[in-house]
Amino acid sequence: MGCEVPDAKTERQGSRRILPGATVGVLGGGQLGRMLAHAGNRLGYRFIALDPTPDSPCGQTAEQIVAAYDDQAAAKELASRSDVITYEFENVDAGVAEMLERESYVPQGSALLYTTQHRLREKRAIEAAGARVAPYAEIESLEGLKAAADQLGLPAVLKTATGGYDGKGQWVLRAEGELASAWDEASRTGTQLVLEKFIAFDKEISVIAARSPSGEVKTFPPAENVHVNNILHLSIVPARIDDEVRLEAEKLAISIAETLGAVGLIAVELFLTKDGKLYVNELAPRPHNSGHYTMEACRTSQFEQHVRAICDLPLGDTSLLTPVVMANILGEHMESLLAWMGEKDTAAEKLGVEVKVHLYGKAEAKHKRKMGHLNVLAPNVEAALEWIAQSNIWRV
């Protein structure tokens, strides 16, 4: 006698626990949606994505509605075909997300999206959760920029309040003579601006927390992140930090997840100074690049955990199984990567590392575009870093 699967919509209307067999709608069709669908498919969920790019990375592994993110008719179609809706990047139109809350079930809600889409709102929310942020000021004029730079001191970073990623929408100001040109360029973006005091950090780390609608919260081990040209290059786990810092970072992530009422994943990016202080830099209410290491290195990946959280299943074990370094593959690295994949890797054998390849199915390998990542599993992070240093993949 077969096992009967409860009707997903009936289950949703009761406990809001979404059981396998249901369809997960994804706002966004990029690589995060792709990996989310891979993980959710293994649990027995179906996926449908809304994205304007035909044959998007997620659309290659799920059904896809090809439409703009602010297309309300397309969003309503997504709602009608989904039992639960999530988003894979935070620049989704908040108005569409709010409409979907009325039409469907969006456990992440639009409030957190609204908060994290705007740096000033985000900073105030972080402070309300008891975390420290870099001193900052809202900037509305060149005169205001000069006054804030005098108050906060230079160097400082001028940022757009909305949009911006991988270093876009940011101007590092080191001298008073740079203020006018930075204001002239930044003010043309048409968005609010914020000036942040530059934090002389020793390390950048991130913690990804998961929270379910039932209130269960778990964190993944902190990652130590290395950026090149403002794009994440490496995530090193275990992070090379003291246990006290590790514990504080995890507690901060839990406090932020609970205070903001996050559902699903929330990534908390932090600066660690030489004197051991932690400053929250940014939040991302979704799976995160610095969490890709979890795919092979943890008992539960960030993507499976996100599906579990939004569907209100018990959260998975986040224990680390092996040291790992995640390394991003950009467009300029693809030729070298593909050449490496066809060869026997004697360096990996000597160092005792296992390299796992994840490519995103993007049609064109553009310069600085994220095309995939490698998870370098190793007996220790030093061996993984040595393999990366010896590799020709990133020598362009």
Side-chain angles (χ1 to χ4, degrees):
M1 185 174 178
C3 176
E4 185 176 344
V5 178
D7 178 76
K9 285 184 165 55
T10 301
E11 187 71 18
R12 182 186 68 193
Q13 290 165 358
S15 68
R16 297 250 167 164
R17 181 163 292 124
I18 311 299
L19 296 177
T23 297
V24 179
V26 185
L27 278 168
Q31 64 262 25
L32 298 179
R34 177 190 182 93
M35 291 181 276
L36 198 63
H38 282 159
N41 288 159
R42 288 193 293 272
L43 291 174
Y45 292 93
R46 298 175 182 271
F47 280 76
I48 181 170
L50 189 157
D51 192 276
T53 304
D55 195 39
S56 68
C58 185
Q60 294 168 21
T61 59
E63 294 185 68
Q64 181 180 348
I65 299 168
V66 180
Y69 295 125
D70 59 356
D71 185 327
Q72 297 224 355
K76 286 186 177 182
E77 181 186 351
L78 182 71
S80 70
R81 297 173 63 180
S82 306
D83 298 294
V84 58
I85 290 177
T86 186
Y87 44 81
E88 60 120 38
F89 73 114
E90 58 266 47
N91 288 328
V92 171
D93 186 276
V96 168
E98 187 177 5
M99 181 272 289
L100 286 171
E101 282 187 281
R102 299 191 299 269
E103 299 284 335
S104 184
Y105 176 43
V106 188
Q108 291 160 283
S110 59
L112 182 56
L113 193 63
Y114 176 79
T115 298
T116 56
Q117 283 180 340
H118 195 284
R119 292 185 191 277
L120 288 167
R121 292 194 293 262
E122 181 178 89
K123 287 179 180 298
R124 290 161 187 153
I126 292 168
E127 289 175 314
R132 184 187 294 113
V133 298
Y136 65 95
E138 183 177 356
I139 304 301
E140 296 179 335
S141 65
L142 176 57
E143 292 71 25
L145 175 60
K146 290 178 178 178
D150 185 58
Q151 179 188 359
L152 298 176
L154 296 176
V157 186
L158 182 65
K159 298 181 179 181
T160 56
T162 58
Y165 62 93
D166 290 343
K168 296 178 176 65
Q170 299 186 20
W171 297 263
V172 179
L173 306 176
R174 294 183 173 85
E176 187 175 347
E178 298 173 352
L179 300 183
S181 60
W183 163 258
D184 184 56
E185 188 176 347
S187 61
R188 288 200 298 267
T189 63
T191 181
Q192 286 183 286
L193 301 171
V194 57
L195 185 71
E196 298 177 9
K197 182 178 178 62
F198 185 85
I199 301 298
F201 57 86
D202 185 49
K203 285 183 171 66
E204 293 182 80
I205 63 174
S206 58
V207 180
I208 295 174
R211 181 176 177 273
S212 70
S214 297
E216 185 183 9
V217 184
K218 288 190 177 181
T219 60
F220 286 94
E224 176 187 343
N225 300 317
V226 177
H227 290 78
V228 175
N229 297 323
N230 294 309
I231 300 174
L232 182 64
H233 175 43
L234 305 176
S235 289
I236 302 165
V237 186
R240 296 168 294 183
I241 56 178
D242 294 338
D243 288 341
E244 294 80 2
V245 173
R246 189 186 319 275
L247 183 61
E248 182 185 355
E250 291 174 350
K251 285 182 176 178
L252 282 174
I254 290 171
S255 175
I256 288 170
E258 292 181 333
T259 302
L260 273 63
V263 171
L265 298 185
I266 185 164
V268 181
E269 299 178 56
L270 305 115
F271 293 140
L272 172 64
T273 61
K274 286 188 180 296
D275 59 359
K277 289 183 180 178
L278 285 171
Y279 291 82
V280 176
N281 180 36
E282 289 184 345
L283 306 178
R286 52 166 172 77
H288 194 258
N289 196 171
S290 68
H292 291 351
Y293 78 87
T294 63
M295 295 175 77
E296 284 91 15
C298 290
R299 289 187 180 274
T300 306
S301 76
Q302 67 163 341
F303 299 102
E304 178 183 337
Q305 195 78 305
H306 185 74
V307 173
R308 286 182 166 276
I310 64 171
C311 293
D312 209 15
L313 302 182
L315 298 181
D317 184 352
T318 59
S319 299
L320 190 69
L321 298 172
T322 174
V324 58
V325 176
M326 188 285 301
N328 270 329
I329 299 296
L330 306 182
E332 58 267 36
H333 306 141
M334 281 297 295
E335 185 176 350
S336 299
L337 173 72
L338 294 175
W340 165 80
M341 290 183 72
E343 300 170 352
K344 184 176 176 63
D345 191 338
T346 56
E349 292 178 358
K350 288 179 181 178
L351 291 165
V353 307
E354 179 71 21
V355 184
K356 300 296 186 181
V357 179
H358 298 269
L359 293 177
Y360 304 151
K362 294 182 179 179
E364 187 179 356
K366 296 179 181 178
H367 188 71
K368 296 191 181 302
R369 187 185 197 191
K370 292 174 183 174
M371 301 298 294
H373 70 271
L374 306 182
N375 282 337
V376 185
L377 313 178
N380 49 66
V381 297
E382 289 74 22
L385 290 169
E386 179 60 28
W387 180 86
I388 291 167
Q390 290 184 21
S391 172
N392 289 322
I393 294 171
W394 294 275
R395 292 176 186 165
V396 293

